[in-house]
Amino acid sequence: MSGAGGAYRVLARKYRPRSFDDLVGQEPMVRTLKNAFETGRIAQAYMLTGVRGVGKTTTARILARGLNYLIPGKIDRPTIDMPELGVHCAEIMEGRHVDVIEMDAASNNGIDNIREIIESVRYKPVSARYKVYILDEVHMLSGAAFNGLLKTLEEPPEHVKFIFATTEIRKVPVTVLSRCQRFDLRRIESDRLIGLLSSITAKEDVSIEADALAMIARAAEGSARDSLSLLDQAIAHGAGTISAEDVRGMLGLADRARIVDLFEALMAGRTAEALDLLKQQYDIGADPAVVLQDLAAFTHTVTRFKVVPSSSEDSALPQEERQRGRALSEAMSLRVLSRAWQMLLKGIEEVSTSSRPLAAADMVLIRIAHAADLPTPDEALRLLKSGAASAGLPSPGPSSSVPALSLPMGQPSGGAPAPAISQMRVQQSPVAAPVASVPNVETARQPEPARKAEPAIRFQRFEDLVAYVGLKRDIPLKIALETQVRLIRFDNGFLEFEPTDDAPRALSAEIARKISDWTGERWVVAVGRGEGQPTIAEARAAEKDKARSDARADPLVAAVLARFPGAEIVDVQIRADDTADLPIPALPAVENPDEAPEPGED
């Protein structure tokens, strides 16, 4: 905070690190420097590179402080352990020490500026141990300036050290890089940034919600300075008490929970609901392009959860986003997620350059919702090869008796087809034959054919019902059936289950209503207690645990784990043959159940 009569210091300057212990997320560099200082292997030049705000200039000052650290009678050697201020520390950290020369290479980029350095390096430092030259944004030096520095940089006097900082390492000539010890400063992880921001808000006596901290950390993209600048702005915006809504409004972000709702609506093909959710976000100030970017980020999150299940434990993500993302990753195929990602990338570009961003975003969402249940090219090819392509394509002619069914969004996780879907019996009334046209004779008006009856569907098992809900593209209900229903008894038209603790109270009524509406038959759904089987998700997790346990017991796998300490088995996938990747077969149209073809007949 500002002192009496003094100017306010922004948080990025007030809490700038003053020692290596204060640096966040740069442990590899600190370890290297510590070992070098302890063994006396101190290089003549250092190159610090990284994105903006990760601490390049600050690290250069701390390094200069460590090179010149001095406490009379206690420490008189270079070190990175600086528990208290030394003789030169305050002046170095404030950038006013006579022997630590900081130069902005962007405005001092000519050969004349380098000549001044070459002339001055001959003189020993006035009071410090080393004369240190810090050149910020060194990639801005001209070609002549770089060439003029080479000789001095390779063989400087023993009392001179160079520290360079740049965000564009590729623009630095390799002849300069080869003469420096290079350190790549990393982006700071979100959880580390959240911890840093939390400690600073505690010192500033500011109340802030955890979700608001997570938003600021995500917006900073690994930059400590950016995160502190955003926190400064949020404190002013919220007047000392910062909520997630304040930060969302300040940054023009979309509500993350509504982003998940929008994703579910798109993947279920509920176009009207998706457009309404986008309009709601737009009305409260969210940029349509930002909404699509957040949607793409959540698509990436779900895809990571599917490929790397352990990533769902990332504490930087909100709890609701982790839970719902994990459930969606189990219910959706990798092909569908990849297609949505590609369409969103293209859509973000369109919205960013459009004169009507909301309309452009609407059209992007419509395309994604329309394509949600379409087969990918390889799936369509396999459908054609298996003779089931007509399940999702227009009928070849009016005499075709193949029913038009919606294709599933993709294979269930693991690549195996849904269980027993092909055992559902579908009965459909015959379609009237086409009227033959007679040349030169007016065709008599034919009466309209009777409306076809809805197919009667019989579910042999509870898993059939869950797969059928997937065919209906109701992802929330499918997830609820897999994760919140412990089966007690199942018959066609009757379901009794024990709900999990997190199941909504109206789950049984919702199941009964939707299944009855879809099948045209009355379903009774009852809630029982204490006798339910494990949920489908729990059974699937148990199977994975058993597969991992069996794999761990395999001698070859055990030898690999022993050879690589710390390695662990993340997932086990077994493919007996290529048929494991075949999509769910189309349901055959049968006019008479007694005339159904035997398995294997065409």
Side-chain angles (χ1 to χ4, degrees), residues 507-554:
L507 179 58
S508 59
E510 182 181 8
I511 295 173
R513 176 178 59 81
K514 289 188 175 181
I515 302 301
S516 297
D517 290 344
W518 289 334
T519 62
E521 297 180 357
R522 183 175 179 272
W523 272 73
V524 177
V525 180
V527 175
R529 292 293 176 186
E531 302 176 0
Q533 304 173 10
T535 66
I536 292 178
E538 291 170 346
R540 188 180 299 153
E543 290 179 1
K544 289 185 178 181
D545 291 340
K546 183 178 183 303
R548 284 193 290 264
S549 178
D550 293 344
R552 195 176 293 108
D554 184 89

Side-chain angles (χ1 to χ4, degrees), residues 206-219 230-231 234-235 237-238 240-257 281 284 294 318 320:
V206 172
S207 175
I208 184 170
E209 295 181 0
D211 287 347
L213 286 175
M215 290 179 191
I216 293 175
R218 282 196 299 267
L230 291 174
L231 179 61
I235 293 174
H237 183 80
T241 301
I242 308 171
S243 66
E245 289 298 326
D246 292 335
V247 175
R248 186 177 295 112
M250 181 187 77
L251 298 178
L253 300 176
D255 189 335
R256 299 293 289 189
Q281 295 294 297
I284 62 176
D294 288 346
E320 181 180 10

Side-chain angles (χ1 to χ4, degrees), residues 226-489:
D226 286 7
S227 66
L228 291 176
S229 298
L230 291 174
L231 179 61
D232 234 336
Q233 183 180 351
I235 293 174
H237 183 80
T241 301
I242 308 171
S243 66
E245 289 298 326
D246 292 335
V247 175
R248 186 177 295 112
M250 181 187 77
L251 298 178
L253 300 176
D255 189 335
R256 299 293 289 189
R258 293 187 180 181
I259 288 295
V260 182
D261 294 339
L262 176 59
F263 180 85
E264 290 181 347
L266 284 178
M267 295 299 102
R270 300 194 298 271
T271 310
E273 180 182 345
L275 296 182
D276 182 60
L277 288 170
L278 175 62
K279 184 63 166 58
Q280 292 176 17
Q281 295 294 297
Y282 181 78
D283 289 342
I284 62 176
D287 185 350
V290 174
V291 174
L292 293 189
Q293 290 171 2
D294 288 346
L295 194 60
F298 184 71
T299 304
H300 169 259
T301 299
V302 174
T303 307
R304 277 189 59 86
F305 287 179
K306 189 170 189 66
V307 178
V308 187
S310 59
S311 61
S312 61
E313 304 301 327
D314 185 1
S315 59
L317 295 173
Q319 180 68 18
E320 181 180 10
E321 191 170 328
R322 293 203 303 269
Q323 291 178 347
R324 298 174 70 181
R326 190 184 303 117
L328 285 166
S329 69
E330 295 177 356
M332 300 184 65
S333 75
L334 191 59
R335 295 182 180 91
V336 172
L337 291 170
S338 300
R339 179 171 56 195
W341 168 262
Q342 294 294 336
M343 297 178 73
L344 283 169
L345 286 186
K346 181 66 175 176
I348 291 171
E349 181 181 352
E350 292 178 4
V351 174
S352 300
T353 58
S354 174
S355 59
R356 300 180 59 193
L358 181 60
D362 281 345
M363 298 305 296
V364 172
L365 296 188
I366 291 172
R367 289 203 302 267
I368 296 175
H370 178 71
D373 65 338
L374 294 179
T376 56
D378 56 335
E379 289 173 341
L381 181 60
R382 284 202 296 268
L383 284 169
L384 290 170
K385 289 182 177 179
S386 64
S390 58
L393 301 175
S395 302
S399 60
S400 173
S401 61
V402 179
L405 300 177
S406 297
L407 286 172
M409 290 193 302
Q411 294 174 200
S413 60
I421 273 290
S422 60
Q423 297 179 13
M424 296 182 191
R425 185 172 296 266
V426 179
Q427 296 179 353
Q428 184 175 1
S429 58
V431 182
V435 178
S437 60
V438 180
N440 302 322
V441 179
E442 183 178 358
T443 304
R445 182 179 298 275
Q446 300 292 329
E448 292 187 0
R451 184 180 180 86
K452 295 184 290 184
E454 291 292 331
I457 298 179
R458 298 291 181 266
F459 303 105
Q460 303 294 332
R461 302 184 303 165
F462 175 62
E463 288 78 2
D464 295 345
L465 175 63
V466 177
Y468 178 75
V469 174
L471 291 176
K472 286 296 183 179
R473 298 159 57 187
D474 193 328
I475 295 178
L477 181 59
K478 184 175 185 291
I479 293 174
L481 290 172
E482 291 181 343
T483 61
Q484 298 173 343
V485 172
R486 294 192 173 102
L487 182 64
I488 297 177
R489 179 187 167 194

Side-chain angles (χ1 to χ4, degrees), residues 52-75:
R52 85 275 179 223
V54 293
K56 296 183 296 297
T57 304
T58 299
T59 301
R61 290 182 178 178
I62 296 174
L63 183 55
R65 178 189 171 193
L67 288 168
N68 291 310
Y69 193 66
L70 172 64
I71 298 180
K74 293 183 179 180
I75 302 176

